[in-house]
Amino acid sequence: MKFTCPKRVFHEALQSVSRAVASRSTLPILGNVLLDARGGQLRLVTTDLEIGMTSNLPLDGVIEEGAVTVPERILQDVVGNLPDAELTVSSDERNLLTVSSAKSQYTIHGLPAEEFPVLPQVADANKLSVPGPVLRDLVRKTIFASSADESRVFLTGCLLTWDGQTATMVATDTHRLAVKRVPATGKFAQAVSVIIPARALTELLRLLGSTEEPVDVCVGDSQVLFALGRVRLVSRLIEGQFPAFERVIPAETLKRLTANRQHLYDAVRRASIVARAESNKIKLHFEDATLTIDAEGEVGRAHEEVLISLDGELGEIAFNATYLQDVLAVLDTETVELGLTGPLNPGLVKAEGEADYQYVVMPMQML
Amino acid sequence: MPRIIVHIDMDAFFASIEVLDYPELRGKPVIVGGPAVRGVVSAASYEARAFGVHSAMPMGEALRRCPQAVVMPVRGGRYHDMSRHIMTLLAPHTPLLEQMSVDEAYLDLTHWLPAGATGASVAAEIQTTIARETGLGCSLGVATGKAIAKMASDLRKPRGLVVVPPGEEAAFLAPLEIGKLRGVGAATERKLRALGVHTIGDLARLPATRLGGQFGVVGPELLALAQGRDDSPVVPERQAKSIGRETTYWTDVTERAVLERTLLALTDDVAESLRRHDFLARGVTLKLRDDAFRTITRSTTLPEPSDVTEALYAAARALLTAARWHRPTRLIGVTAGPLQPAADRQFNLFAEDDDKKRKVAGAIDAIKARFGNDAITRARLAKKE
């Protein structure tokens, strides 16, 4: 294998796939990146067997076709620290990779390309096409509600359903639940309902950045593939039954509090500083135009007042501050609505004018 | 400042309650236990003990030794209720009250002595109060540590009161038979006697290296205790970081079903204690000890903090399975912890089941509080007659 490529282009391509490299693995080759130069392009592949990433870099400078794998972190470090110039990259039959620029030459020990795992092919019978910003919204407004509890692995991801018209993403840790719906069309074969690992979606968000480009999402039986520009992210799906989430969303709430999102967020975040660490409990009392937030812990006490408009009777309820803070941080509207019924009933958070988003949060014991 | 620890142990607790409730039994050898043929002795009155009957003895053997004994069935609920009553009599003396079992408790009086009182005077007062309020006898030990206080209370039963003054712990222990030392059961005693250790004093003089590894983790503990060093604290459940129950089998158990049944009963007790003290457990620890004193503990975090038996037991049982434990079991225990206040309960979107279980558990607690502990139990724990 031999090709030439500007340092910056090569470095960017390496960075785009670096997140799927296994950091600690019993299989050393999973710490490597596969470089495969052929047919006018360089393909870079990484995988930790849970997720995999591919970047296809069009290249004029393929001099000799071939492939090799080398430790990704080392290669990225070397390339990243070279001066900005044209690089020549080549490998030999002993799997030695040589990177050279005008005055530098590095040789890195690699492993044969044949030993690198082949990423699974994902059928495209079900293929949604979603604008980048829409997909980003779908993920970031739900993923934070997923669980980190590995004993209930089906909650450590987000449920994606698609009926050909609407894509819905849902996440819950059983204390709170976030649901976002967006219009999505594409190649539709049958109703889709899969659980995507939160880890894969975190990487997706990173790849999405602020892209405006459309993203193709292929949903297979046991894998999902996201294709954005030159980069592809493939992830295994989580097996298991996602809880029946529809019935825990309150159809109606008796009391509705409307508040400035930023003011409410700031008050909740400050109050949580003194709340007892394990429970993070804050107490809300609302009456007329005032919401008071009180918290108490070993370190001291907090009292906050937030201006609200209240539709319904006065009342009180206790929440884990984190559960409110998380949702208030991802919403982007100026005002938010908190719908409540009683101190034991779930609360319903909505962003003003964003009917396709719902966040349900269970209260804590009030006493 | 040396500590003032009191150990109180009720005298022949179950048998004494039977005599209290059936006065015609007074002065007769009474055995609590059953059923007659295959059962074991749960408790024996001092009159029965004179014939060599003791708890854990097979009933057949007990009746051979003392054919004229009156055998009374075990009434756990009655004993439990009496136990609660006794604890309420102890509570005013110190907030540092640790109940060890149905008929045993420790009190730390170090900072809680009334003016002019001593550990001995408070212990004597407790003995009088309990006799007056319940009609039952108890024995007490006063010492600077829990284990020594317990050995002291055991020394002059029934209705004994033994005080070990600070500094005289080792001297007090030295002449006692090695089998009296806390943590020394029949097997350990045999091994120690083989080493020429017959009294606690013999053990205290034994170089640590002679103990070797054959006593496992408990070896150094035994040695320290024999030398009079005993600083384990009295921990009231109200401020406990964990709540646990454990039991030592009379004979080693290998049957999984028996282990599970014990585990369920222990877990039930732990869960009730959690509810009584308004705690939720965030995790569960399982403890197992085999016939060679190898002890293992396995811990897990609960998906949700809980105070219901079902959730705690499911976790404990999963630990038992995961431990791949197939050895003869001497001791099994379950501990709930770390704890958090129940007032910080986070409700669950999908857990109507759990809420129902909690309501059932609350109702059962209320029934037990009103009608006694035997009024209601789990079908799986009910005695098969």
Side-chain angles (χ1 to χ4, degrees):
Chain A
M1 179 190 74
K2 188 170 185 183
F3 63 85
T4 61
C5 177
K7 174 245 170 162
R8 205 175 327 155
V9 174
F10 189 39
H11 188 230
E12 270 175 22
L14 278 170
Q15 279 180 316
S16 69
V17 298
S18 69
R19 303 281 309 182
V21 175
S23 48
R24 253 164 289 156
S25 173
T26 46
L27 277 176
I29 202 163
L30 297 182
N32 285 10
V33 55
L34 171 72
L35 304 175
D36 186 357
R38 68 188 71 238
Q41 69 172 16
L42 173 68
R43 197 164 64 95
L44 301 91
V45 186
T46 56
T47 181
D48 61 7
L49 300 182
E50 249 190 62
I51 63 171
M53 286 179 168
T54 318
S55 178
N56 291 310
L57 191 62
L59 219 55
D60 296 332
V62 176
I63 299 158
E64 189 189 320
E65 294 193 339
V68 72
T69 80
V70 286
E72 190 276 340
R73 212 171 47 80
I74 305 290
L75 180 60
Q76 204 194 128
D77 240 11
V78 167
V79 173
N81 284 296
L82 284 171
D84 205 359
E86 190 79 358
L87 303 180
T88 304
V89 182
S90 64
S91 68
D92 64 15
E93 66 285 353
R94 289 170 303 154
N95 302 302
L96 285 178
L97 183 82
T98 304
V99 182
S100 45
S101 68
K103 292 178 178 170
S104 312
Q105 181 168 338
Y106 286 81
T107 307
I108 301 169
H109 296 279
L111 289 166
E114 301 75 52
E115 288 176 18
F116 199 80
V118 178
L119 291 195
Q121 293 292 314
V122 182
D124 64 353
N126 276 307
K127 183 157 125 185
L128 309 70
S129 192
V130 191
V134 174
L135 185 60
R136 186 168 176 272
D137 223 26
L138 190 69
V139 175
R140 65 181 276 273
K141 285 184 175 161
T142 52
I143 188 171
F144 66 89
S146 65
S147 167
D149 177 8
E150 290 296 331
S151 71
R152 290 179 297 184
V153 69
F154 55 93
L155 297 180
T156 61
C158 295
L159 177 76
L160 171 69
T161 67
W162 185 46
D163 58 7
Q165 310 292 321
T166 304
T168 306
M169 194 160 272
V170 191
T172 181
D173 62 6
T174 74
H175 297 150
R176 38 42 184 298
L177 175 114
V179 185
K180 174 78 182 168
R181 296 180 166 85
V182 299
T185 52
K187 212 163 108 187
F188 180 75
Q190 75 224 37
V192 164
S193 177
V194 295
I195 307 172
I196 305 172
R199 153 127 201 270
L201 293 172
T202 305
E203 295 314 327
L204 176 65
L205 280 181
R206 207 180 303 266
L207 289 174
L208 283 169
S210 52
T211 184
E212 298 284 326
E213 300 294 308
V215 178
D216 286 340
V217 184
C218 297
V219 186
D221 290 333
S222 48
Q223 278 96 20
V224 61
L225 175 102
F226 300 94
L228 23 355
R230 292 176 191 151
V231 181
R232 272 151 210 279
L233 166 67
V234 60
S235 168
R236 67 173 178 88
L237 296 171
I238 295 175
E239 284 182 36
Q241 182 66 47
F242 201 81
F245 68 92
E246 295 279 8
R247 64 184 176 88
V248 303
I249 304 173
E252 212 162 75
T253 54
L254 291 180
K255 306 160 191 186
R256 281 170 298 278
L257 289 64
T258 311
N260 176 286
R261 183 185 61 83
Q262 191 65 47
H263 294 171
L264 184 56
Y265 173 79
D266 292 343
V268 168
R269 199 182 54 163
R270 282 192 300 264
S272 78
I273 296 169
V274 301
R276 214 193 315 273
E278 322 89 77
S279 67
N280 210 9
K281 177 154 109 178
I282 55 171
K283 292 177 183 177
L284 280 60
H285 175 93
F286 45 94
E287 193 170 352
D288 303 327
T290 308
L291 168 70
T292 62
I293 300 176
D294 287 278
E296 202 178 334
E298 295 88 351
V299 293
R301 256 177 227 174
H303 177 83
E304 290 276 353
E305 291 184 8
V306 180
L307 187 69
I308 55 165
S309 82
L310 174 62
D311 174 11
E313 284 173 29
L314 64 92
E316 52 184 14
I317 193 164
F319 285 115
N320 180 329
T322 308
Y323 298 164
L324 288 183
Q325 219 177 299
D326 283 351
V327 67
L328 294 170
V330 297
L331 295 180
D332 13 49
T333 54
E334 195 180 334
T335 59
V336 289
E337 183 192 287
L338 173 61
L340 299 171
T341 296
L344 301 177
N345 300 89
L348 181 62
V349 178
K350 291 182 190 172
E352 189 192 30
E354 195 177 332
D356 55 12
Y357 183 71
Q358 289 159 309
Y359 180 77
V360 186
V361 54
M362 281 306 276
M364 298 183 76
Q365 190 116 310
M366 188 59 203
L367 291 171
Chain B
M1 180 180 188
R3 294 190 302 159
I4 304 168
I5 309 293
V6 175
H7 178 254
I8 170 169
D9 190 9
M10 299 304 296
D11 296 328
F13 188 52
F14 298 175
S16 302
I17 293 174
E18 295 304 325
V19 174
L20 194 67
D21 291 352
Y22 302 97
E24 64 275 19
L25 297 177
R26 191 166 297 279
K28 292 182 181 162
V30 176
I31 296 177
V32 178
V37 190
R38 286 182 300 111
V40 293
V41 175
S42 285
S45 71
Y46 287 92
E47 291 82 356
R49 290 184 197 194
F51 290 88
V53 176
H54 56 77
S55 54
M57 178 178 276
M59 192 60 86
E61 169 69 17
L63 289 174
R64 259 192 304 283
R65 293 189 183 197
C66 183
Q68 68 272 44
V70 184
V71 178
M72 301 296 286
V74 180
R75 294 184 296 149
R78 169 72 174 127
Y79 312 147
H80 212 279
D81 295 343
M82 182 59 89
S83 170
R84 266 187 215 178
H85 180 44
I86 291 164
M87 293 306 146
T88 61
L89 297 175
L90 298 179
H93 292 284
T94 172
L96 296 177
L97 168 66
E98 181 177 4
Q99 183 176 359
M100 293 309 288
S101 68
V102 71
D103 61 349
E104 239 188 293
Y106 291 102
L107 296 91
D108 184 340
L109 300 176
T110 313
H111 300 289
W112 303 92
L113 281 183
T118 62
S121 73
V122 173
E125 186 191 331
I126 288 171
Q127 204 170 32
T128 315
T129 310
I130 289 179
R132 187 181 64 232
E133 296 292 323
T134 68
L136 296 172
C138 60
S139 296
L140 298 103
V142 184
T144 55
K146 285 164 80 176
I148 296 166
K150 183 176 162 76
M151 284 183 271
S153 74
D154 191 44
L155 209 61
R156 298 218 185 101
K157 279 182 148 295
R159 300 192 187 233
L161 170 55
V162 174
V163 181
V164 182
E168 293 179 26
E169 293 83 4
F172 163 78
L173 294 171
L176 299 179
E177 289 285 313
I178 190 64
K180 296 263 185 205
L181 191 66
R182 184 192 63 182
V184 177
T188 313
E189 185 176 345
R190 267 196 307 278
K191 284 192 226 164
L192 284 169
R193 284 188 188 272
L195 291 173
V197 173
H198 302 287
T199 65
I200 296 177
D202 292 341
L203 178 60
R205 284 186 295 272
L206 199 69
T209 46
R210 288 280 315 274
L211 272 181
Q214 59 174 319
F215 300 99
V217 290
V218 298
E221 274 175 42
L222 289 181
L223 199 58
L225 190 53
Q227 292 164 349
R229 282 179 281 137
D230 176 14
D231 48 14
S232 62
V234 174
V235 183
E237 287 192 338
R238 268 175 293 117
Q239 42 177 273
K241 292 195 169 69
S242 62
I243 291 180
R245 295 284 184 272
E246 61 183 44
T247 192
T248 305
Y249 290 111
W250 307 124
T251 52
D252 296 338
V253 167
T254 41
E255 244 182 296
R256 166 81 184 217
V258 177
L259 293 178
E260 282 188 8
R261 196 161 174 272
T262 311
L263 198 56
L264 178 59
L266 293 171
T267 309
D268 216 19
D269 218 19
V270 167
E272 196 212 326
S273 193
L274 287 170
R275 293 190 296 270
R276 189 165 61 236
H277 297 289
D278 288 322
F279 281 125
L280 296 175
R282 288 190 284 151
V284 169
T285 300
L286 173 73
K287 178 175 171 186
L288 295 160
R289 179 173 295 157
D290 71 8
D291 53 345
F293 273 88
R294 275 179 301 226
T295 308
I296 66 159
T297 58
R298 296 284 184 271
S299 298
T300 185
T301 303
L302 293 168
E304 297 276 309
S306 177
D307 57 6
V308 294
T309 305
E310 284 80 358
L312 300 176
Y313 177 65
R317 197 166 164 260
L319 288 173
L320 180 62
T321 306
R324 298 176 186 281
W325 178 265
H326 303 295
R327 299 207 278 273
T329 307
R330 181 187 158 82
L331 175 149
I332 185 166
V334 62
T335 299
L339 306 177
Q340 70 174 57
D344 286 346
R345 188 190 304 282
Q346 164 70 53
F347 297 109
N348 190 301
L349 279 165
F350 302 96
E352 289 153 35
D353 280 4
D354 236 40
D355 291 342
K356 272 185 210 140
K357 281 175 198 142
R358 193 168 299 115
K359 278 182 192 139
V360 171
I364 290 171
D365 291 347
I367 291 171
K368 283 182 174 173
R370 201 161 156 205
F371 300 108
N373 215 38
D374 273 0
I376 186 163
T377 189
R378 281 169 196 282
R380 221 181 135 191
L381 297 179
K383 282 189 202 72
K384 293 178 193 100
E385 296 295 342

